[in-house]
Amino acid sequence: MKMSKLFVQTLREFPSDAEVISHKLLIRAGYIRKLAMGVYNYLPLMWRVIRKIENIIREEMDKAGAQELLMPFVQPKELWEESGRWGAYGGELMRLKDRHGREMCLGPTHEEIITSIARDGLKSYKQLPVNLYQIQSKFRDERRPRFGLLRGREFIMKDAYSFGTSQEELEKEYQNMWNAYTKIFKRCGLDTKAVQSDSGAIGGSVSHEFMVITDTDAGENDVFYCECDYAANSNHAVSVLEETNTAGSWKEAQILDTPNTHSIDELCEFLKIPATVIVKTLVYIIDKKPVLALIRADRQVEETKLMNSVGGNDIRIATSGEIEEMMSINGYDAEKGFIGPDGLKEYNGYPVTVVADETVKNMKNFVIGINKKDKHGVGYNWEKDIKLPEIVTDIRLTEAGDKCPVCGKPLKVTRGIEVGNIFQLGTKYSKPMNAVYLDRNGKSQPYIMGCYGIGVTRTAAAAIEAHHDEHGIIWPLSIAPYHAVVIPVSTKDELQMKVANDLYQTLLKHGVEVVIDDRDERAGVKFKDADLIGFPYRITVGKTITDGLVEFKERNSDELKNIKPEDAAEIVITAVHELVK
RNA sequence: CGGGAUGUAGCGCAGCUUGGUAGCGCACUUCGCUUGGGACGAAGGGGUCGCACGUUCGAAUCGUGUCAUCCCGACCA
C-alpha cells in the first residue's frame, strides 16, 4: 500500500472530546470517526485491525469445534417475550417499529434467536453437544456511552452459544471455551486474567470475565486477586470476615440523644466510638420494592450482591423523599441517618425486606438507628433487643487487604477492562422458550446452554490501552493494520526510492503487509505518522544507503540498527511467518 | 436519569461582556524553496456561527425554547 493513497487522516492535535488514551489515539491516528454518540465509523486502518482480531477468534473458535453462522441484527419482539426479556431488559434494548407497526429491536445479544434456531434444528441428543457462534455488530442503548470504542453503543462482538444435554457437558464446553479464550487473547498480544463475576442481565450461575489488567483510567472494573489463583470482579469478590472489635461498651440497651448525626462520621465523633460498633441501615428500591440493607458501618454495600440476594433486576438507592414517605406511612418521623430496621413494615404497596450483611451477625452492644430523629439505640443485641433479619448474607463490597476466601492471604486490587466473558446459562432460555430435544428414552429435555462473548472492538481499544507511548500506538504484530512501513527519506533521491521500492516489493512477495511512505513530505512528518499509526516495524532508506545500509527500528524499542536491506527484510518476513504458526 | 459545561470551516480555538463586512493555527489546492523527528514564503478554496422563534433598521453576539455533544454520578460488554 502506498501511503499517498492510504485513506487516513492523522491529526496534529488530540480531539478535545476524548478522554482515554485509546479513544484519543484512534481518532488522532485516523482509525475511527464518530458518527453519533457511541457510534463510530471504522476507517480502513481500523477495519484491518478488526478483521485481524476477528480472524484470530475464528481460527481458535473453529479449532475448538464451534461453527460460525450469522443471525439478523433486527429481531422481532415475540422471541423476547418468550424469554421474558422484552419486559426485563429495560432502556438498553433499542426498540423500534416497522411500517406495519410491528415491534422489533436491535440485537444487544442473541440468546433468544439462537435458542429459536436450536429448537428448530436440534431435535435429538445424537446431535448434541453443539457450539454456534457469530461475529456481528451489536447495539446497546447505553445510558452513558464513553471512552470511544471501550464503551460504544454499537460495537462488534463475537457471541457463541453452546447446547448440551447435561451439566457435565456444559462444564466441559465451558473449560473448552476458557482455553480457547486464553489462546485468543494471547495471540492478540494481551495478558488477561479470568475472574469470577456476576452474571447480570444475561442470567445463569457460573461466569467468568476475561480482563485486560491496565493502569489507565479506562479500566472500569475493580478486580480483586490473590497470589493464589483466586480472582474476581468487585461485584462478585468475597472475602473472609476478619476479626474486629465489634462490641460496644454499654452494659444494657438504651436510647441516646444523638442530635444532627446524619452521617456515620458524625455519629462516631459524637459518641466517641469506632464505626465497627455501628449497624448502618441503607434504604434501597429494588424493582420498586423497598429493601433495607444492614451492614457494619465501616463497610460499603455491593449493590449487585444486594440485588441478587433478593432476586432483583434493578437497584437504586432510595431518595430522601421516598425515605420520608416510608417513615410517615409506617408512623415514624425520622430522616436519613436515623433509619433502622425495626418497625418498618411496608412501602409502595410492598412489604419491606431486610437484608443483613454477615458483618453485623456477631456484633454485640451495637449502635443502630431506631427511626427517631436525633436518637439512636445503643448497647443493642440481636434477638434480645432487636430481631436479627431473616436474610443474612454477603452483601459487602470487598476491599483491598481483605482476606482471600481460598487461601486467607490479603487480596490485592487492580483495574481491568473486560474483553470477554463466559457464562453457564443452564436452562434459563431453553425452558421458557420450550427449546427441547429428545433424550435416549424419548423424553423431552431442555438444552443445557452456555454463552461466550468477546468484544472485538473493545479488544482493539484495550490493546491500545495496554500498548502505547507518548508518540502513539504500539500494536502487537498480530493485530496491527500493517506489519511494516518502508520510509524513503527523500522521494527525489533515485537510489533511495529504488531501494525502498525493491524492499517494498520483496516484503509484499513474502506476504508481509507493508506500506511504503511515498509522500513528498519531510522525514519528520513520516516518522511522526509512523509512530502515531503504530506500524510494528519501520525501515528507513536514507543517506546511509550509499554505504548499502538502511535503518531498522521496531516500534516497541528505541534501538536503531543500520543493516543491509535484505537483512531488514529477513527479520520482518521471519516475524510475520512466525505469526501464522 | 440527576449535576456541570460546550456548540463558530475536516481538527484545535478566538470573536459574544459593549449588536454593524466571520477570524486565527493546523489540514486542503497551486507555485517557489526545503528534505533524518510534525520547515518557510506567496497566492487560493472551504463556514445557513447547532436549530427555531423573538427583540432590533441590523443578531455569531441579546431573550426564550429546542436539539446535539462532552464531563461527574447512577447503570453496564
Side-chain angles (χ1 to χ4, degrees):
Chain A
M1 187 70 201
K2 287 182 178 170
M3 195 68 180
S4 60
K5 298 292 177 198
L6 185 63
F7 187 90
V8 61
Q9 168 82 289
T10 58
L11 305 177
R12 194 182 284 235
E13 290 164 274
F14 281 116
S16 63
D17 57 0
E19 196 63 18
V20 299
I21 193 66
S22 63
H23 188 195
K24 287 179 179 175
L25 284 172
L26 283 169
I27 290 176
R28 187 169 163 206
Y31 283 78
I32 61 171
R33 280 294 174 93
K34 187 174 70 183
L35 184 63
M37 199 210 309
V39 179
Y40 292 87
N41 286 306
Y42 306 127
L43 301 179
L45 285 175
M46 190 70 225
W47 187 236
R48 290 183 72 96
V49 173
I50 289 170
R51 283 192 351 240
K52 293 267 176 94
I53 297 171
E54 287 181 351
N55 285 335
I56 290 172
I57 293 172
R58 274 199 185 92
E59 285 176 25
E60 295 300 333
M61 289 299 289
D62 290 349
K63 231 184 268 179
Q67 301 174 58
E68 186 173 1
L69 49 60
L70 185 61
M71 291 177 268
F73 180 47
V74 176
Q75 311 178 0
K77 171 188 175 188
E78 286 71 20
L79 282 176
W80 285 76
E81 284 183 326
E82 280 191 47
S83 70
R85 287 209 294 183
W86 186 261
Y89 214 98
E92 230 178 82
L93 186 64
M94 184 82 169
R95 295 157 215 252
L96 43 119
K97 279 185 187 170
D98 68 14
R99 62 166 66 192
H100 306 290
R102 281 190 276 262
E103 296 194 82
M104 322 281 285
C105 63
L106 301 183
T109 175
H110 280 68
E111 281 82 9
E112 282 78 4
I113 318 303
I114 198 77
T115 304
S116 80
I117 290 175
R119 73 181 169 192
D120 288 344
L122 300 170
K123 307 283 194 189
S124 159
Y125 71 93
K126 292 176 195 163
Q127 296 170 284
L128 300 172
V130 169
N131 188 331
L132 301 169
Y133 76 97
Q134 64 171 351
I135 298 175
Q136 191 203 36
S137 285
K138 298 271 185 266
F139 195 95
R140 293 183 190 172
D141 197 3
E142 293 278 345
R143 280 193 185 146
R144 178 142 105 91
R146 55 181 140 175
F147 300 158
L149 295 191
L150 282 171
R151 189 169 200 72
R153 290 194 293 174
E154 184 176 297
F155 56 97
I156 297 175
M157 183 170 166
K158 186 276 315 182
D159 46 327
Y161 306 88
S162 70
F163 301 87
T165 60
S166 66
Q167 178 65 24
E168 293 71 53
E169 227 167 55
L170 172 58
E171 281 168 22
K172 203 176 149 200
E173 186 59 17
Y174 192 79
Q175 190 57 48
N176 185 30
M177 286 293 108
W178 182 312
N179 297 343
Y181 275 32
T182 305
K183 284 184 206 156
I184 287 166
F185 293 122
K186 195 167 173 218
R187 284 184 61 185
C188 289
L190 292 170
D191 283 330
T192 52
K193 196 182 264 293
V195 310
Q196 294 178 19
S197 83
D198 181 72
S199 40
I202 293 176
S205 48
V206 177
S207 78
H208 284 83
E209 292 171 344
F210 284 74
M211 297 276 193
V212 173
I213 302 305
T214 167
D215 300 330
T216 63
D217 300 338
E220 293 187 277
N221 299 278
D222 281 329
V223 175
F224 292 91
Y225 65 101
C226 180
E227 53 192 77
C228 74
D229 272 349
Y230 183 77
N233 190 318
S234 60
N235 65 21
H236 199 270
V238 295
S239 56
V240 179
L241 212 53
E242 80 280 36
E243 302 292 328
T244 348
N245 172 24
T246 52
S249 51
W250 295 278
K251 296 280 187 297
E252 59 185 32
Q254 52 187 298
I255 293 169
L256 290 185
D257 286 328
T258 53
N260 295 316
T261 53
H262 292 273
S263 70
I264 294 297
D265 284 349
E266 286 163 346
L267 187 57
C268 290
E269 176 70 18
F270 185 84
L271 292 174
K272 306 282 182 241
I273 50 165
T276 48
V277 302
I278 303 172
V279 173
K280 174 167 66 175
T281 306
L282 296 159
V283 185
Y284 282 90
I285 305 293
I286 300 180
D287 300 340
K288 297 183 183 152
K289 300 170 195 165
V291 175
L292 301 184
L294 269 46
I295 189 164
R296 205 179 62 210
D298 60 312
R299 304 299 300 233
Q300 304 293 314
V301 167
E302 210 307 301
E303 296 187 353
T304 305
K305 288 184 184 176
L306 174 61
M307 185 168 75
N308 290 343
S309 72
V310 296
N313 282 314
D314 181 60
I315 183 166
R316 63 180 177 79
I317 196 118
T319 63
S320 324
E322 286 170 326
I323 292 175
E324 276 174 37
E325 203 182 329
M326 184 187 295
M327 287 302 134
S328 67
I329 287 173
N330 291 279
Y332 292 101
D333 177 32
E335 56 191 60
K336 215 172 143 191
F338 304 96
I339 311 301
D342 208 24
L344 294 180
K345 297 275 189 293
E346 60 153 343
Y347 175 67
N348 227 0
Y350 295 100
V352 173
T353 308
V354 184
V355 180
D357 183 66
E358 293 165 336
T359 45
V360 305
K361 194 174 168 185
N362 295 321
M363 289 173 70
K364 303 242 182 327
N365 304 326
F366 50 79
V367 178
I368 192 163
I370 51 170
N371 300 321
K372 289 189 179 133
K373 189 169 185 307
D374 293 339
K375 291 185 195 307
H376 277 88
V378 305
Y380 274 47
N381 286 285
W382 294 120
E383 302 308 334
K384 188 161 150 271
D385 309 301
I386 189 166
K387 205 169 157 294
L388 183 68
E390 278 177 26
I391 307 175
V392 180
T393 183
D394 174 11
I395 56 168
R396 68 189 173 281
L397 185 66
T398 297
E399 291 168 12
D402 285 0
K403 286 179 182 153
C404 171
V406 177
C407 71
K409 295 205 177 81
L411 290 172
K412 293 180 198 137
V413 67
T414 184
R415 305 282 281 173
I417 301 170
E418 181 186 352
V419 288
N421 53 38
I422 52 179
F423 290 94
Q424 294 185 15
L425 292 175
T427 57
K428 169 156 171 124
Y429 295 92
S430 50
K431 253 192 191 155
M433 294 184 66
N434 196 30
V436 297
Y437 64 95
L438 292 180
D439 67 12
R440 271 168 219 281
N441 306 314
K443 211 178 143 207
S444 280
Q445 300 284 2
Y447 312 119
I448 310 293
M449 294 173 55
C451 79
Y452 318 91
I454 292 179
V456 175
T457 37
R458 178 179 268 195
T459 297
I464 296 172
E465 293 290 335
H467 306 294
H468 66 271
D469 64 14
E470 67 272 30
H471 302 295
I473 303 171
I474 306 177
W475 288 114
L477 186 60
S478 57
I479 61 173
Y482 288 93
H483 300 130
V485 61
V486 175
I487 300 180
V489 169
S490 170
T491 50
K492 298 212 170 67
D493 183 307
E494 282 182 27
L495 180 60
Q496 287 184 22
M497 279 310 284
K498 182 176 183 326
V499 173
N501 266 316
D502 289 349
L503 202 45
Y504 174 62
Q505 293 298 339
T506 304
L507 291 169
L508 278 181
K509 210 174 294 169
H510 287 85
V512 175
E513 295 165 15
V514 57
V515 169
I516 180 165
D517 198 340
D518 59 333
R519 294 175 301 171
D520 182 21
E521 286 285 357
R522 300 167 69 87
V525 173
K526 299 185 184 184
F527 291 150
K528 289 284 184 193
D529 277 343
D531 287 348
L532 195 55
I533 290 168
F535 300 103
Y537 294 105
R538 186 181 88 192
I539 304 172
T540 309
V541 184
K543 285 200 181 100
T544 53
I545 198 59
T546 50
D547 301 324
L549 297 176
V550 297
E551 179 189 276
F552 182 83
K553 183 176 178 301
E554 294 183 40
R555 180 65 181 85
N556 62 5
S557 147
D558 288 331
E559 194 190 350
L560 297 172
K561 279 191 264 188
N562 283 299
I563 56 179
K564 286 189 264 182
E566 54 269 33
D567 293 341
E570 182 65 27
I571 297 173
V572 176
I573 290 165
T574 306
V576 169
H577 288 183
E578 281 292 317
L579 275 183
V580 181
K581 286 176 198 163

